[in-house]
Amino acid sequence: MGEFIDLKAADGNVFPAYVARPAGQPRAAVVVLQEIFGVNSHIRSVADGYAAQGYLAVAPSTFHRVKPQVELGYAEADMSAGFALKTAVEALPAPGVMQDIQAAIDWAAGQKAGSGKVGIVGFCWGGLLTWRAACTLKGLSAAVPYYGGGVTTPDEVARVPRVPVLAHFGDQDHWIPLDSVEAFKRAHPDVEVHVYQANHGFNCDQRGSHNAEAAKLARERTLAFFAKHLG
C-alpha cells in the first residue's frame, strides 16, 4: 500500500518518509511518528492502517539526521541501539528533528487531502515528539501521543498545546510513573487522557508488551478523535 518518498526540511536536510495512501479520496492526513526502532514494519503497518481508514498517512524517519535507514526489531540489542540513536537526536541543536516533523506536516497539508487538515500520532519517543509538535509546530489540527516517554516530566508538562490532544498511557508502564500521569492530567484538564491496564508499548503487536484489548480501545478512541477534529 505504501512507498518511501524524500522530504526536505527548512535547513535543507533531505530525509525519507513512508507514505500510505487510501484507496479513494483521502478524508484528511495523519503524520505517524516512529518509536526508537525506526520506520520499521510495525510503523509502516500503523500508517497502512490509517490509510485503510481513509487517511493519507506519512511516517517520517526521525533518526535520519544521525543515522539513515534504521529498521530495528525489539530484542535487547535493538532497544539499546534505538535508545542511543534517540539520545543522539535529542542532543542535536534546536530545532533538530522538529523541523523534519514540520516538513512532514507541511507536505501532508500540501496534498490537500479531503478536509485539508493534518493530525499527528506517535508512539513511545514518537509520542513525546507528538506532544512537542502539538505545542510548538504549525499546521496541525489534532495530536495523539501514545505512552510518550518524557511527556510527564516537568519541562514537558510546562508546554501548552495549540491543538486538541488525546493522550494514551498504560498503568503498568515503568517508564512513565502513574503519579506523573496524574500530575499531567491536573496540569492539562483540556487534554483527553486515557489510562489502560497495560504496559509500555501496548499498541505494538510485535512486542511482548502488546495488549490487544487496550490497543483496540485506544485505536477506536483515536479514530473517533481524528474523525471529530480532522474529518
Side-chain angles (χ1 to χ4, degrees), residues 182-196:
E182 292 302 321
F184 177 84
K185 287 170 64 175
R186 291 192 298 271
H188 294 284
D190 292 337
V191 173
E192 184 179 339
V193 176
H194 292 285
V195 179
Y196 303 82

Side-chain angles (χ1 to χ4, degrees), residues 12 37 41 44 51 53 55 72 76 103 116 134 136 150 153 155 178 193 205 229:
F37 309 104
S41 61
R44 296 195 300 271
Q53 293 294 322
Y55 293 100
L72 299 172
E76 192 168 332
T136 65
T153 59
D155 285 351
L178 205 51
V193 176
D205 58 5
H229 295 290

